[in-house]
Amino acid sequence: MLTSDFDFDLPEELIAQHPSGVRGQDKLMLLNRVTGQIEHHMMDDLPDLIEPGTLMIFNNSRVRRARVYGIKETTGRETEFMFLNTIDRECCIWNTMVKSAKKQKPGMKYKFPDGTVATIIEHEGNAGTEFRALKFDFAIDEDWFERNGHIPLPPYIRREDTDEDSERYQNVYATDTGSAACPTAGLHFTQDMLARLDAKGIERRFVTLHVGLGTFLPVREENIENHKMHEEWYTIPVETAEAINKAKREGRPVLAVGTTSVRTLESASEGHSVRAGTSSTSIFMYPGYKFKVVDKMFTNFHTPQSTLIMLVSAFAGRENILNAYKKAVENRYRFFSYGDCMFIR
């Protein structure tokens, strides 16, 4: 199967550059993954579209202010780093993705806004890629990112981050900081919406998957089978695993909110149940994949030729997804992180 099989035409003006005026006031497309039938709704309608007894799974990862600008000591030029994960916490080494990576070589030093200095060091697997290992003299923490970093808006949002993004590019239920991008399906949910779901008898549990390169690195292979996903870490609490396994035994549907929740549940599947604990995943789902845990999915509209549109195509069928995206364009839905949403059932 070719990467180009997942392309579609999208007018530039439909790529949402800002969040909706009020959180949760977004269009919602309902897609039947068996028949391909489409209905147009608003997010406010969601509780009426979910049957009581459904178990919803949310990713509670919180976005780190992971985009940090350093000044190269030899040239005085500003360099942008995206901090992804720690390589060695004790030695204060971080894995980063860096702009103009070919020019950023081992031994080069960078000064960050608060005066902190870090050095690029050799790291296995980074040669010839956009990744660089940065070594600090002391451990940096979340306070350091709050002082020095910016909200890591995706590249298709063509503006600098603002104070508004500090609030709107976080999910209202996010608690565990560590993502380099927001699990954006959750951006449509408000505390009022969560209360309405509770009132309808819709159960809610959480997993944690810290979004990294596995989610947003582009597919560069012509044949999708040759694409390799990067690892991302996830945690499934015992109470979440127990709730999922109980729902599956009782024949109640599991509704995953966001592709990161889908990847977490399917990575931890054992037959039609899941195991609790912390692990890593490099799972890549594309048409032909058989879902074991997830019965329904709530998601955003994804970028062309991405692993995310391949994942939803695995769930609902490529033709159904591409037709739905065509209808979304015709009906002026807003696309990507700050855009509108889709409920696939």
Side-chain angles (χ1 to χ4, degrees), residues 20 29 44 71 78-79 83 96 110 113 117 139 149 165-166 169 192 198 224 231 280 292 300 303 317 338 341 343:
S20 55
M29 177 181 286
D44 198 53
I71 302 297
E78 188 174 72
T79 302
F83 283 71
T96 69
Y110 301 81
V117 175
D165 297 307
S166 297
Y169 197 65
D192 178 66
D198 290 343
I224 65 173
E231 284 191 337
S280 65
K292 305 172 188 67
N300 279 11
T303 53
Y338 274 148
C341 50
F343 178 26

Side-chain angles (χ1 to χ4, degrees), residues 2-298:
L2 301 178
T3 300
S4 57
D5 291 336
F6 299 88
D7 201 7
F8 62 93
D9 293 324
L10 179 66
E12 184 81 18
E13 67 269 17
L14 294 185
I15 300 174
Q17 297 298 306
H18 295 271
S20 55
V22 177
R23 189 190 290 263
Q25 291 190 354
D26 306 296
K27 291 180 180 178
L28 168 63
M29 177 181 286
L30 177 63
L31 172 64
N32 185 310
R33 67 184 179 121
V34 177
T35 66
Q37 181 180 349
I38 291 168
E39 295 178 13
H40 301 288
H41 293 271
M42 295 298 292
M43 180 65 188
D44 198 53
D45 300 330
L46 183 64
D48 297 325
L49 302 176
I50 303 175
E51 62 187 274
T54 296
L55 172 61
M56 295 183 75
I57 303 296
F58 293 79
N59 180 7
N60 65 6
S61 181
R62 184 172 177 81
V63 181
R64 172 181 286 130
R65 298 181 74 89
R67 177 174 282 122
V68 190
Y69 296 90
I71 302 297
K72 188 186 295 187
E73 286 195 342
T74 54
T75 64
R77 290 182 179 175
E78 188 174 72
T79 302
E80 177 186 312
F81 292 88
M82 175 74 80
F83 283 71
L84 299 170
N85 57 273
T86 53
I87 295 173
D88 188 323
R89 191 173 296 276
E90 288 187 7
C91 295
C92 313
I93 302 172
W94 279 76
N95 188 34
T96 69
M97 186 163 62
V98 59
K99 284 282 184 72
S100 305
K102 289 182 180 179
K103 299 178 180 179
Q104 322 308 329
K105 302 181 185 300
M108 290 182 172
K109 295 181 181 296
Y110 301 81
K111 182 178 286 187
F112 293 97
D114 66 350
T116 306
V117 175
T119 306
I120 291 181
I121 63 171
E122 297 276 3
H123 182 63
E124 183 181 358
N126 278 359
T129 72
E130 57 265 82
F131 311 122
R132 295 292 182 270
L134 273 183
K135 185 177 188 333
F136 291 81
D137 290 333
F138 60 90
I140 60 175
D141 56 16
E142 296 307 328
D143 288 339
W144 187 89
F145 287 105
E146 286 297 316
R147 294 194 307 272
N148 293 279
H150 294 260
I151 295 295
L153 295 178
Y156 48 74
I157 295 180
R158 303 186 188 282
R159 61 176 177 80
E160 295 299 316
D161 63 306
T162 66
D163 289 343
E164 179 187 41
D165 297 307
S166 297
E167 187 254 331
R168 293 298 300 274
Y169 197 65
Q170 297 281 11
N171 292 316
V172 298
Y173 49 77
T175 56
D176 192 347
T177 302
S179 279
C182 184
T184 53
L187 293 178
H188 305 280
F189 290 83
T190 63
Q191 293 296 351
D192 178 66
M193 173 59 71
L194 297 176
R196 289 179 59 201
L197 292 168
D198 290 343
K200 288 274 294 191
I202 297 164
E203 192 178 0
R204 181 170 75 253
R205 291 291 186 274
F206 295 96
V207 297
T208 305
L209 181 141
H210 292 314
V211 183
L213 293 176
T215 296
F216 64 78
L217 197 68
V219 178
R220 297 190 175 105
E221 301 286 348
E222 182 179 1
N223 295 305
I224 65 173
E225 293 89 349
N226 296 330
H227 176 71
K228 302 299 182 186
M229 298 283 282
H230 284 254
E231 284 191 337
E232 295 169 311
W233 286 91
Y234 69 83
T235 298
I236 300 181
V238 171
E239 59 270 22
T240 297
E242 289 176 346
I244 293 167
N245 297 337
K246 184 171 185 286
K248 300 302 286 187
R249 287 195 304 271
E250 295 174 351
R252 294 184 288 116
V254 173
L255 166 53
V257 176
T259 56
T260 57
S261 296
V262 174
R263 295 182 71 235
T264 299
L265 299 186
E266 293 296 315
S267 296
S269 65
E270 295 178 331
H272 294 288
S273 62
V274 299
R275 60 186 177 276
T278 296
S279 188
S280 65
T281 180
S282 56
I283 192 171
F284 179 23
M285 288 174 273
Y286 51 85
Y289 178 84
K290 303 300 182 185
F291 288 80
K292 305 172 188 67
V293 179
V294 176
D295 302 300
K296 303 181 181 184
M297 189 188 307
F298 182 94

